[in-house]
Amino acid sequence: MSRDSAQAAYDALAPAYDDFTHEYMFERWTQRLLEKAEDAGLRGEALLDVACGTGLSFLPMLDRGFSVTACDISEGMLDIARAKANGRAKLLQADMRELPDLGTFDLIWAVNDSLNYLMSVEELEATLTGFRRNLAAAGIALFDVNTPVTYRTLFSQEVVVERNGRRLIWQGKSLPGEVRPGLVHEARFEIEGEAGSEHIHRQRHFPEAEVLAAIEASGLNCIGVFGELDGALSAPLDEETHTKAVYLCRVQ
Ligand SMILES: C[S@@+](CC[C@H](N)C(=O)[O-])C[C@H]1O[C@@H](n2cnc3c(N)ncnc32)[C@H](O)[C@@H]1O
């Protein structure tokens, strides 16, 4: 597998990821996502967490009784996830664009800013096709993508997090006035004073119409679309107000 841009970014970010995201409410957010999946008819407790990172998106699910298989493209992120899971989850390196057949899952999710790293509709379709192949007949697939609001804010500003004696600096490279549907945006990250920590995050906006078409092309059926604002989910999605779009699907 060639080392692509997201893999290189996350291998470099891995030692700082948990500090950079320490204010995110993973427990509460995963509970809200789970409630949407349950409202949509989720049965069973086999979870495949795609692009699991350091485990923040599956650790609360272990505590809720799910059996977890999880994958990520970055070995750096997986090493941290492995240490936290301590044998309670099956973890492997995999590129979500070429997802192997890993089992039959009741819930497959890729959450908190993962599918944004796909660079084309073709990559999104390939990823969702992999979800479909691994989904139980009545299973639910759930994922989020950023809206233009996030590219106008987070990708257009500097965010500094000071924690554990380090200054973590995220510098968005976009101009708010130039954010358009379907464009790729970049941000530079560095740990101040740590040579070699600098790297680039490259994310693409996937407009709702593109996502819905990719869901259909992959053999999935969209059963819900929600928008996220300040940790709350509501419908309908408004790409000019919500910061994330959340999609729920099942096999057609
Ligand atoms: C923002 S992190 C989210 C991690 C985790 N889900 C969480 O909630 O903290 C995005 C993750 O997507 C992973 N990723 C990006 N492109 C990927 C790909 N093509 N295949 C698998 N994982 C990928 C990165 O390595 C990174 O761990």
Side-chain angles (χ1 to χ4, degrees):
M1 188 189 302
S2 67
R3 206 169 123 87
D4 82 344
S5 158
Q7 186 179 18
Y10 275 92
D11 281 345
L13 180 60
Y17 182 79
D18 286 4
D19 278 344
F20 192 65
T21 60
H22 76 277
E23 287 187 341
Y24 294 17
M25 310 267 197
F26 287 96
E27 182 80 38
R28 191 183 74 173
W29 176 237
T30 54
Q31 180 59 35
R32 291 204 171 144
L33 295 174
L34 178 58
E35 282 164 11
K36 290 295 176 210
E38 286 171 346
D39 291 348
L42 175 68
R43 300 276 176 276
E45 291 172 337
L47 167 67
L48 174 60
D49 183 6
V50 175
C52 65
T54 63
L56 297 170
S57 47
F58 72 69
L59 289 165
M61 300 299 278
L62 285 174
D63 296 340
R64 292 178 188 125
F66 279 75
S67 68
V68 175
T69 299
C71 65
D72 199 278
I73 199 169
S74 161
E75 272 296 356
M77 297 292 274
L78 281 169
D79 283 346
I80 296 169
R82 266 190 209 102
K84 291 188 209 164
N86 197 19
R88 292 179 297 154
K90 185 176 166 196
L91 300 183
L92 68 147
Q93 188 191 32
D95 185 332
M96 62 180 154
R97 296 164 294 188
E98 301 167 358
L99 209 55
D101 291 341
L102 297 170
T104 304
F105 296 92
D106 305 307
L107 176 63
I108 299 180
W109 74 18
V111 294
N112 305 328
D113 210 3
S114 298
L115 267 55
N116 306 306
Y117 286 89
L118 301 172
M119 286 292 116
S120 67
V121 170
E122 290 72 26
E123 290 189 358
L124 180 59
E125 276 180 29
T127 299
L128 296 179
T129 300
F131 285 17
R132 184 190 32 80
R133 272 191 286 100
N134 282 281
L135 205 53
I140 306 276
L142 184 160
F143 59 90
D144 63 58
V145 291
N146 286 337
T147 65
V149 175
T150 296
Y151 294 110
R152 280 192 202 107
T153 52
L154 183 63
F155 277 76
S156 304
Q157 69 196 28
E158 182 178 77
V159 177
V160 178
V161 173
E162 298 196 29
R163 191 157 166 90
N164 292 324
R166 298 188 298 186
R167 276 190 104 228
L168 313 175
I169 305 169
W170 169 280
Q171 182 65 63
K173 295 288 178 195
S174 295
L175 296 172
E178 292 178 359
V179 173
R180 303 268 180 277
L183 293 186
V184 173
H185 299 277
E186 289 189 353
R188 181 182 183 281
F189 186 92
E190 71 170 316
I191 305 171
E192 193 174 76
E194 277 191 28
S197 67
E198 316 79 11
H199 61 271
I200 298 290
H201 288 262
R202 204 164 280 122
Q203 297 192 358
R204 184 189 192 278
H205 171 241
F206 287 98
E208 184 176 5
E210 277 186 5
V211 177
L212 294 176
I215 290 171
E216 197 178 335
S218 69
L220 291 170
N221 186 21
C222 183
I223 53 169
V225 184
F226 297 91
E228 182 265 349
L229 191 62
D230 297 329
L233 286 165
S234 61
L237 167 66
D238 176 357
E239 285 230 82
E240 293 303 322
T241 306
H242 293 118
T243 55
K244 279 181 203 291
V246 174
Y247 294 85
L248 275 84
C249 315
R250 61 171 21 148
V251 177
Q252 278 175 356

